Amino acid sequence: DELHAILGGAPATTPTIALPTFPQPSWATVAVSPHLTYDNCEVSPGPHLNMIVGANGTGKSSIVCAICLGLAGKPSFIGRADKVGLYVKRGCSKGLVEIELFKTPKNLIITREIHVANNASVWFVNKKPSTLKIVEEQIAALNIQVGNLCQFLPQDRVGEFAKLSKTELLEATEKSVGPPEMYQFHCELKNFRERERELENSLQEKTNFLEKMKQRNERYKQDVERYYERKRHLDLIEMLERKRPWVEYENVRQEHEEVKQNRDHAKEELKKLQQTQSPMTQQIQEVEKQWRNLDIKIKEKTAEIKDTSQRCKQKQDAVEKKDKQIEEIQQALRIKNDEEMDRQKRMHNARKMIEDWQNELNSTGNSENLQPQIDSINNELRQLQEEKANIDGEMSDLRRERENLEREKKRVTDRIVQFNNMMNLKEDKLRGRYRDTHNALLWLRENKDRFKRSVCEPMMLQINMKDNRHAKYVENHISANDMRAFVFESQEDMEIFLREVRDHQKLKVNAVCAPIVSCAENRPSRSVEELHQYGVFSYLRELFDAPHPVMSYLCSQYRVHDVPVGTEKTRSMIERVIQETKFKQIYTAEERYSVRVSAYTNQTISSNTSLRPAQFLTVTVDADERRQLENQLKDINRLFQLRDTQLHTLYERQKGLERKDNELRQQKKERLERKNKRKQLESKISMKHDSLKQMEQDAINLEEESQQTNARIKEINVQKAKLVTELMQLIKNCITLNILKVDLVLQSTTVNSKKNRLESDYKAATVQLRALEQQVSDLGGKKRVLLEKCKGLMRKARHACNLSPDQEIPKDFQTVSTENKRPHFYKGAFQDLPSTLDEIDALLNEEKSRASCFTGLNASVVEEYNRRAQEIQQVTEELEEKKSELESYRQNISQVKERWLTPLKQLVEQINEKFSNFFSSMQCAGEVDLHTENEEEYDKYGIRIRVKFRSNTQLHELTPHHQSGGERSVSTMLYLMALQELNRCPFRVVDEINQGMDPVNERRVFEMVVKTACKESTSQYFFITPKLLQNLTYAEKMTVLFVYNGPFMLEPTKWNLKAFRRRRRQFEQMDQ
């Protein structure tokens, strides 16, 4: 067994090798030219275990690829490139794969020529042109399945074996080790089950369809019954409508007879009434004449009574007038009494007031002594006014100064607010990017008193660029974590802060501690003036301002005091700058250079990166201007306090002057009032004396007035008595006249009553006469109307019964009256129907209402019901046929299932036995079983592999996630070994499956592979590995193929294995 690597030569020819010990079929040689790593290669394996060993990249897997492609496999089976042209060596236009399979009586040679340009293949069988289909048929006939992972497991698909589902693993196992008909039976069962499902679904659909048809026809059955019920109602309605006109006719005819009899009776009554009305007229005329004479007398008495009553009214008005005159005289006397009492009272009050004013006048001193005091008060008031004017002037000046200060303060405050807004922009950026840091900042501002020393807010808020164009240098130099870090001067303060925000509030924040010894004033290694020749214009520290602890930390941690910042000139001469300045970090206009010295070669190594745009420090605040504004604001506030103090002092002085002014004015007022009060009192007393004299002159003599009043009242009473006597006489005359009038009225009432009674009787008789005349006329007209109505109703009734005018009425519709020979219909066809119009109308309405409830019904409903009944019968027969077919199909499935499931269970039991033995020999446990959730779902059957590698665990199903890579490799290898002795496939390929195994398991698995694959009954086996453990157990029947590659390989023409062996023997003899 040899491996020939022919490099640079012509395509290899494939020798025909006939080895009787090879199992059939198996392959004897593989030749490739050119293919992946090979220009030309020929491989001759052994009949049992072939172990192909070689370092990574030498081309072991290329042999596996050649086997797959040469046996009509798809590139996807390999798991590498997806196009076949990619398996040809780079730079070649085509490649060749030739495989010779051992077979009796003649070996089978399959050749595949691959063209790179169009990814096309040309096939040859036994050196003769062929097609892919023929090649696939030849391969399938030999039971070669390069797409089956149980038979062909390339390196890039080792992991897929553990990912196989239970169903996929069962199908692969059936194809690999099962009898040829087993997988066929499984496919048939799946197809049968699918057909069975279709039949069951069809049967269910038919059953549901039949049930729906029955339900629908049941509904139609109700409609049919309702149709016939409606027809019965309509027939009854028709009979009622026929009978109704006959009943109407009979009712009208009877009414006509009654009207005729009533008319004749009314004529007789009218004649009698006309004879009794003549004597009543003469009596009414006599009573009328008597009533008129009485009425004339009553009117005469009424005129006399009216005249007497008028005279009585005049006398009564005169008496009432005298009473009114007496009342007026008495009222005038009462008024004069009241006036005299009021005069006495006013005189008393006037005397009292004169006495009080006189006492007050006596108590008032001389007014000539008050004038000097008033003049002195006036002088003091003039001095106070001058002093107040001075104070007002000073306060006005102070207010103007204060207003100027307010304007200046507003200007300074607005400018500071602008600076604060710019700081707020930076804080907004912090809140948007680092929410936890912002929350910690808010907590810090509220709890600064908890810290012993000052705490600086995050650096991105504290750093203030002098020019925002330079912000990119600082942000690229300082890490993002430090940019958002709080800076502490005390380690203890920092621990308190972090314990609160990190442990209690669960915030993700950073904090740093400034150096104990300040580094903020550290000097650079070289002055910036020396670096101007390199284009350097500043050190990084000079580009920004920051609080002292922050600057100290940055100088200590980032050496910002010794990091130069240059321009494009610096970048153009960067190598010179690096060599001459020895700086570790250098910034140019758009790049950052980092310089380090190699610890091995002592060479200077530099790297450059592009600068990121600035995000946080682009907002700049002029710190000097801000400090000046803050100092200016403090000065303004101090001046504000001074001016407020001065204003308050002047205000207090002004208030004191106001109080003194008010006091002086009050004193002046009091003295002026005292001076004018004496004159006023003297004037008032004089005027009140004049008024008292006038009241004394207006006195009234009440006794004289009382005597005059009584005399006048007495005279009026005499006149009143005379008028009362005359009034009493007139009242007596009026009473006598009223008595006479009442007698006449009673007589007139009696006569009038008699007259009214006679007229009433006459009117009643007249009304009765006219009513009888009208009644006779109405009855005659009604008789004529009823007669015409009878004729019309007769015609209507005949028409309803479809009778002509001259046709006799059928006996079924009538009975004949013995009196007038007219038709009656109380028997015959109408006998069972109601005999009155009300009953007929009630029944007719009831029947119509019932009939109207049966809407949407017609004769087609009955036809549809009958047609659907026939369809139900037909579908029922079809359903029975389907049931018979399904039952027959299930019997066939049961037979095929028995022929498939019994051998399958035996096969799985054999695999489980060998798989369990392999695991037991490794002090582990494993089992294989046939798994299904539903025995009837054949596409859900699968092989389940369960393993455990530790004694304290349970068996777990082999999955891509539960076991480690090495455990999956061991399980996969042992499962394939369990299939080895049962295998009916001609060969098996396993590529680098031992890569993830530990040495102990790798040694155990290797021994099992050698022991199993080297048995006489097993098929050809290819085991590819890049490494081997020492002191492994080898067998005589195994073949080891070494793959070498590299720049020192011999030319193919110089490769001579016999010469190598001979030279080895010579070396051994020389050593001896």
Side-chain angles (χ1 to χ4, degrees):
D1 302 324
E2 300 173 350
L3 170 70
H4 302 285
I6 305 170
L7 303 177
T13 58
T14 306
T16 302
I17 301 174
L19 299 175
T21 57
F22 276 60
Q24 296 189 42
S26 61
W27 51 281
T29 60
V30 177
V32 293
S33 170
H35 178 74
L36 292 177
T37 55
Y38 298 107
D39 288 334
N40 203 322
C41 175
E42 181 175 341
V43 179
S44 300
H48 297 289
L49 175 61
N50 292 273
M51 185 171 64
I52 302 175
V53 185
N56 287 331
T58 54
K60 303 183 302 301
S61 296
S62 299
I63 299 172
V64 177
C65 296
I67 296 172
C68 178
L69 297 177
L71 296 177
K74 298 178 182 179
S76 60
F77 294 167
I78 304 171
R80 292 192 175 186
D82 57 346
K83 295 180 181 179
V84 70
L86 298 175
Y87 290 90
V88 178
K89 187 172 184 178
R90 186 174 300 174
C92 300
S93 60
K94 67 177 182 178
L96 183 73
V97 177
E98 185 173 282
I99 297 178
E100 181 177 2
L101 297 171
F102 184 82
K103 181 182 178 184
T104 57
K106 183 180 179 181
N107 288 356
L108 177 66
I109 302 174
I110 298 174
T111 306
R112 182 176 187 174
E113 189 177 286
I114 302 171
H115 295 270
V116 177
N118 54 1
N119 284 303
S121 299
V122 179
W123 295 90
F124 299 89
V125 175
N126 293 328
K127 305 296 183 178
K128 296 179 181 179
S130 183
T131 63
L132 174 61
K133 184 176 181 181
I134 294 175
V135 173
E136 288 177 342
E137 290 175 354
Q138 293 277 359
I139 298 300
L142 297 175
N143 198 29
I144 296 174
Q145 305 165 15
V146 291
N148 189 342
L149 295 182
C150 290
Q151 182 175 340
F152 190 87
L153 189 62
Q155 174 185 351
D156 295 291
R157 298 187 68 193
V158 170
E160 293 184 20
F161 186 88
K163 297 179 182 178
L164 287 177
S165 67
K166 294 187 283 292
T167 303
E168 292 170 340
L169 183 59
L170 173 61
E171 292 179 355
T173 304
E174 287 177 333
K175 293 177 184 178
S176 179
V177 301
E181 67 275 5
M182 179 176 287
Y183 180 69
Q184 181 181 354
F185 285 156
H186 191 184
C187 294
E188 288 179 2
L189 279 172
K190 288 191 283 187
N191 295 332
F192 286 162
R193 176 56 183 160
E194 187 64 28
R195 176 59 181 160
E196 181 185 14
R197 253 193 230 103
E198 292 176 2
L199 287 174
E200 289 175 348
N201 294 336
S202 175
L203 186 63
Q204 186 62 37
E205 289 175 1
K206 285 283 185 184
T207 304
N208 295 338
F209 179 66
L210 178 62
E211 186 63 27
K212 289 180 180 177
M213 289 182 66
K214 288 181 178 180
Q215 292 176 359
R216 195 176 303 172
N217 223 35
E218 191 63 28
R219 291 196 296 271
Y220 276 128
K221 182 178 180 181
Q222 297 175 1
D223 292 343
V224 169
E225 292 175 354
R226 292 172 67 240
Y227 173 80
Y228 286 120
E229 181 68 19
R230 179 173 176 270
K231 193 171 184 306
R232 287 194 295 272
H233 288 301
L234 293 176
D235 291 343
L236 180 57
I237 289 170
E238 182 181 359
M239 291 299 295
L240 289 169
E241 288 177 344
R242 285 185 176 185
K243 181 174 181 179
R244 191 177 190 285
W246 290 105
V247 175
E248 285 182 323
Y249 167 76
E250 178 61 20
N251 291 341
V252 173
R253 186 192 65 77
Q254 292 178 359
E255 187 178 357
H256 174 268
E257 292 296 330
E258 292 176 1
V259 168
K260 182 179 179 182
Q261 293 177 4
N262 292 336
R263 187 198 62 175
D264 295 341
H265 181 68
K267 282 183 177 180
E268 294 178 0
E269 291 286 334
L270 179 60
K271 186 175 180 181
K272 293 178 182 178
L273 190 60
Q274 288 175 346
Q275 292 175 356
T276 58
Q277 196 175 15
S278 297
M280 196 179 297
T281 304
Q282 186 176 358
Q283 292 179 5
I284 291 172
Q285 292 174 353
E286 292 177 355
V287 173
E288 180 72 25
K289 182 178 179 181
Q290 186 180 358
W291 179 77
R292 286 196 192 99
N293 293 332
L294 290 171
D295 187 55
I296 292 170
K297 293 178 180 179
I298 290 170
K299 287 180 179 179
E300 291 174 354
K301 294 298 180 183
T302 301
E304 292 178 6
I305 291 170
K306 184 177 181 182
D307 180 60
T308 305
S309 297
Q310 188 66 32
R311 288 163 62 192
C312 286
K313 181 70 171 61
Q314 292 174 356
K315 296 296 181 181
Q316 187 175 2
D317 290 342
V319 172
E320 291 177 353
K321 188 175 181 181
K322 295 300 180 182
D323 290 337
K324 190 173 182 181
Q325 289 177 358
I326 294 170
E327 180 65 29
E328 289 175 354
I329 292 170
Q330 292 174 344
Q331 181 66 25
L333 179 61
R334 285 195 296 271
I335 290 172
K336 287 182 179 181
N337 287 330
D338 293 339
E339 288 177 354
E340 180 60 22
M341 290 178 65
D342 183 60
R343 186 185 68 82
Q344 295 291 339
K345 186 176 181 180
R346 284 188 284 113
M347 287 173 64
H348 178 268
N349 291 335
R351 292 189 186 97
K352 179 68 170 141
M353 291 174 69
I354 290 170
E355 183 180 355
D356 293 339
W357 287 342
Q358 190 64 46
N359 293 333
E360 188 175 355
L361 181 61
N362 294 333
S363 64
T364 302
N366 194 352
S367 60
E368 296 177 357
N369 299 327
L370 297 176
Q371 188 60 40
Q373 297 178 10
I374 293 172
D375 294 338
S376 175
I377 291 171
N378 287 333
N379 292 331
E380 291 183 12
L381 287 172
R382 280 193 296 273
Q383 293 176 2
L384 284 175
Q385 291 299 328
E386 292 174 359
E387 190 172 355
K388 286 172 64 179
N390 293 333
I391 291 174
D392 288 339
E394 292 179 11
M395 290 180 71
S396 297
D397 293 339
L398 289 174
R399 288 192 183 97
R400 280 193 297 273
E401 290 183 18
R402 197 175 187 280
E403 289 174 357
N404 294 333
L405 288 174
E406 284 181 350
R407 285 192 292 272
E408 182 65 17
K409 180 179 180 180
K410 185 177 184 305
R411 184 188 69 78
V412 173
T413 304
D414 291 343
R415 184 61 179 158
I416 292 174
V417 168
Q418 291 179 2
F419 285 127
N420 291 337
N421 290 338
M422 297 174 73
M423 291 300 294
N424 289 338
L425 289 176
K426 297 173 74 174
E427 190 173 332
D428 290 341
K429 289 184 179 181
L430 174 67
R431 181 173 60 250
R433 186 71 178 272
Y434 306 110
R435 174 69 67 176
D436 287 358
T437 304
H438 185 262
N439 292 337
L441 173 63
L442 297 179
W443 180 87
L444 174 66
R445 289 174 177 174
E446 295 176 357
N447 298 274
K448 284 190 175 182
D449 55 339
R450 296 178 59 176
F451 303 102
K452 296 178 180 179
R453 304 189 66 179
S454 65
V455 180
C456 295
E457 296 180 354
M459 293 187 196
M460 61 185 296
L461 300 180
Q462 298 294 314
I463 295 174
N464 182 46
M465 300 302 302
K466 296 179 180 179
D467 188 340
N468 59 6
R469 293 176 299 175
H470 300 149
K472 59 184 178 182
Y473 302 122
V474 178
E475 288 197 26
N476 280 271
H477 192 71
I478 303 173
S479 69
N481 287 336
D482 280 349
M483 285 290 287
R484 60 189 179 96
F486 296 83
V487 181
F488 292 82
E489 293 186 287
S490 167
Q491 184 71 26
E492 183 181 355
D493 287 347
M494 186 173 74
E495 291 175 358
I496 293 172
F497 175 78
L498 292 179
R499 188 161 52 248
E500 172 63 31
V501 298
R502 282 185 180 175
D503 299 342
H504 296 166
Q505 300 185 25
K506 306 301 182 183
L507 300 178
K508 297 179 180 179
V509 297
N510 291 338
V512 297
C513 189
I516 298 175
V517 179
S518 175
C519 299
E521 305 300 331
N522 287 1
R523 307 307 302 167
S525 57
R526 303 176 67 174
S527 65
V528 72
E529 288 78 9
E530 297 177 22
L531 303 178
H532 285 170
Q533 59 178 322
Y534 306 116
V536 175
F537 62 89
S538 175
Y539 283 105
L540 199 59
R541 181 178 62 182
E542 315 307 326
L543 300 180
F544 64 91
D545 293 322
H548 191 275
V550 176
M551 187 66 77
S552 177
Y553 174 79
L554 293 178
C555 289
S556 171
Q557 187 71 20
Y558 291 96
R559 296 186 60 79
V560 294
H561 63 284
D562 204 28
V563 176
V565 181
T567 59
E568 284 294 328
K569 179 181 177 181
T570 310
R571 190 184 67 81
S572 65
M573 53 190 305
I574 189 64
E575 293 182 0
R576 178 185 167 191
V577 174
I578 292 172
Q579 293 296 328
E580 294 181 2
T581 62
K582 306 300 181 182
F583 284 117
K584 301 297 183 183
Q585 294 190 43
I586 303 170
Y587 284 91
T588 64
E590 296 296 335
E591 293 179 334
R592 171 185 178 179
Y593 288 86
S594 299
V595 182
R596 64 183 180 86
V597 177
S598 173
Y600 301 100
T601 63
N602 205 30
Q603 293 179 349
T604 301
I605 303 171
S606 65
S607 61
N608 67 308
T609 56
S610 297
L611 298 181
R612 302 187 309 275
Q615 297 181 2
F616 302 108
L617 303 180
T618 53
V619 179
T620 61
V621 178
D622 191 337
D624 294 337
E625 183 182 357
R626 182 185 176 91
R627 282 193 293 272
Q628 290 176 4
L629 289 172
E630 289 175 349
N631 294 332
Q632 189 175 352
L633 184 61
K634 291 178 181 178
D635 294 339
I636 291 171
N637 288 332
R638 187 171 60 255
L639 288 174
F640 254 114
Q641 293 177 357
L642 179 60
R643 296 295 178 265
D644 287 342
T645 303
Q646 292 174 349
L647 280 171
H648 182 70
T649 303
L650 291 175
Y651 180 69
E652 291 296 327
R653 287 179 59 195
Q654 189 181 43
K655 284 174 64 177
L657 293 176
E658 288 288 345
R659 285 195 298 272
K660 189 172 181 181
D661 182 86
N662 291 334
E663 291 173 358
L664 291 174
R665 290 183 183 279
Q666 184 64 28
Q667 292 175 8
K668 180 180 177 182
K669 181 179 178 183
E670 291 175 355
R671 282 161 178 72
L672 289 173
E673 287 178 353
R674 287 170 59 188
K675 181 178 178 181
N676 295 329
K677 189 173 184 180
R678 186 174 184 82
K679 293 180 181 180
Q680 292 175 358
L681 289 173
E682 291 174 350
S683 176
K684 287 181 180 180
I685 291 171
S686 176
M687 291 174 63
K688 189 58 71 175
H689 275 298
D690 294 339
S691 175
L692 183 60
K693 289 177 182 179
Q694 182 64 37
M695 284 188 288
E696 289 175 350
Q697 292 174 3
D698 293 338
I700 299 174
N701 190 351
L702 293 177
E703 185 177 356
E704 183 180 352
E705 289 293 331
S706 177
Q707 291 175 358
Q708 292 176 1
T709 298
N710 291 332
R712 291 175 61 189
I713 291 173
K714 185 177 180 181
E715 182 182 354
I716 291 171
N717 284 331
V718 172
Q719 295 173 3
K720 181 181 175 182
K722 184 178 179 182
L723 289 173
V724 170
T725 302
E726 292 175 355
L727 177 60
M728 293 301 295
Q729 186 60 41
L730 289 173
I731 290 173
K732 290 179 180 179
N733 294 338
C734 186
I735 291 172
T736 302
L737 291 172
N738 277 314
I739 290 172
L740 294 174
K741 179 183 175 182
V742 168
D743 290 339
L744 291 173
V745 168
L746 289 175
Q747 293 177 18
S748 174
T749 301
T750 302
V751 173
N752 189 41
S753 175
K754 183 177 180 182
K755 172 194 161 190
N756 290 337
R757 186 176 66 255
L758 291 172
E759 287 177 349
S760 177
D761 293 343
Y762 181 79
K763 286 180 180 179
T766 303
V767 169
Q768 188 176 3
L769 181 62
R770 290 176 183 173
L772 283 172
E773 291 175 350
Q774 184 65 37
Q775 184 179 2
V776 170
S777 176
D778 292 343
L779 289 172
K782 188 174 182 180
K783 176 178 175 296
R784 289 190 297 273
V785 170
L786 290 172
L787 181 60
E788 291 299 323
K789 190 174 182 181
C790 282
K791 293 179 180 179
L793 290 173
M794 174 60 75
R795 290 192 297 271
K796 181 179 179 181
R798 285 178 172 273
H799 177 73
C801 295
N802 298 322
L803 299 176
S804 60
D806 56 348
Q807 185 178 357
E808 293 185 1
I809 300 172
K811 293 182 179 180
D812 291 341
F813 292 166
Q814 58 142 333
T815 58
V816 180
S817 173
T818 57
E819 296 179 358
N820 48 23
K821 304 298 183 179
R822 284 195 170 88
H824 291 257
F825 27 85
Y826 302 118
K827 296 181 180 179
F830 297 151
Q831 185 174 4
D832 295 331
L833 300 178
S835 57
T836 64
L837 280 177
D838 291 339
E839 292 176 347
I840 289 175
D841 288 340
L843 184 57
L844 192 59
N845 291 331
E846 181 181 352
E847 292 300 321
K848 285 182 178 180
S849 298
R850 290 179 178 177
S852 65
C853 294
F854 300 94
T855 57
L857 300 177
N858 50 46
S860 63
V861 175
V862 180
E863 296 175 1
E864 180 70 17
Y865 176 79
N866 295 331
R867 182 185 63 78
R868 200 173 296 278
Q870 294 177 357
E871 290 182 1
I872 290 172
Q873 180 62 30
Q874 183 179 354
V875 171
T876 304
E877 294 174 357
E878 293 177 359
L879 189 61
E880 291 299 325
E881 293 176 1
K882 289 282 185 183
K883 288 181 180 179
S884 301
E885 182 181 358
L886 178 60
E887 186 62 30
S888 174
Y889 214 84
R890 284 174 175 167
Q891 292 177 1
N892 294 336
I893 290 175
S894 178
Q895 295 173 1
V896 176
K897 179 181 178 181
E898 182 66 25
R899 296 167 63 187
W900 168 73
L901 189 57
T902 301
L904 177 61
K905 288 181 178 179
Q906 294 173 356
L907 179 63
V908 173
E909 185 62 33
Q910 293 174 6
I911 296 171
N912 178 51
E913 182 180 356
K914 295 182 180 298
F915 187 76
S916 300
N917 292 337
F918 288 146
F919 262 88
S920 297
S921 65
M922 296 175 60
Q923 285 77 47
C924 300
E927 66 176 29
V928 177
D929 61 0
L930 187 63
H931 179 266
T932 183
E933 295 179 357
N934 184 355
E935 290 189 358
E936 303 303 323
E937 299 295 334
Y938 304 107
D939 55 344
K940 298 294 192 303
Y941 274 81
I943 286 181
R944 180 174 60 180
I945 300 176
R946 296 195 298 164
V947 297
K948 73 170 184 176
F949 289 87
R950 285 163 290 278
S951 59
N952 58 349
T953 61
Q954 300 293 326
L955 285 171
H956 289 284
E957 188 174 346
L958 181 66
T959 64
H961 313 291
H962 192 275
Q963 291 81 13
S964 65
E967 291 172 347
R968 292 198 300 273
S969 297
V970 170
S971 302
T972 302
M973 195 66 192
L974 294 183
Y975 184 78
L976 296 178
M977 294 306 302
L979 301 181
Q980 181 66 18
E981 295 184 15
L982 304 173
N983 206 347
R984 64 181 183 86
C985 62
F987 64 88
R988 188 182 310 284
V989 177
V990 179
D991 189 1
E992 295 191 16
I993 198 170
N994 60 332
Q995 282 295 84
M997 298 183 190
D998 59 83
V1000 175
N1001 286 332
E1002 184 176 357
R1003 184 178 299 278
R1004 291 174 178 174
V1005 169
F1006 184 83
E1007 292 175 355
M1008 292 180 191
V1009 171
V1010 172
K1011 182 179 178 181
T1012 304
C1014 291
K1015 292 181 179 180
E1016 289 292 340
S1017 60
T1018 59
S1019 59
Q1020 201 173 21
Y1021 200 100
F1022 293 89
F1023 184 78
I1024 294 92
T1025 178
K1027 62 183 179 66
L1028 285 175
L1029 300 174
Q1030 295 181 355
N1031 301 321
L1032 291 174
T1033 301
Y1034 297 93
E1036 291 294 333
K1037 293 183 179 181
M1038 67 181 293
T1039 302
V1040 181
L1041 302 176
F1042 295 97
V1043 181
Y1044 296 100
N1045 205 342
F1048 304 108
M1049 289 294 294
L1050 290 174
E1051 293 292 333
T1053 55
K1054 297 180 180 180
W1055 185 273
N1056 189 332
L1057 186 59
K1058 292 181 179 180
F1060 296 158
R1061 291 175 178 172
R1062 186 169 55 252
R1063 190 176 302 172
R1064 178 63 181 173
R1065 285 194 296 270
Q1066 291 175 0
F1067 286 149
E1068 290 176 352
Q1069 291 174 0
M1070 291 173 62
D1071 292 339
Q1072 291 175 359

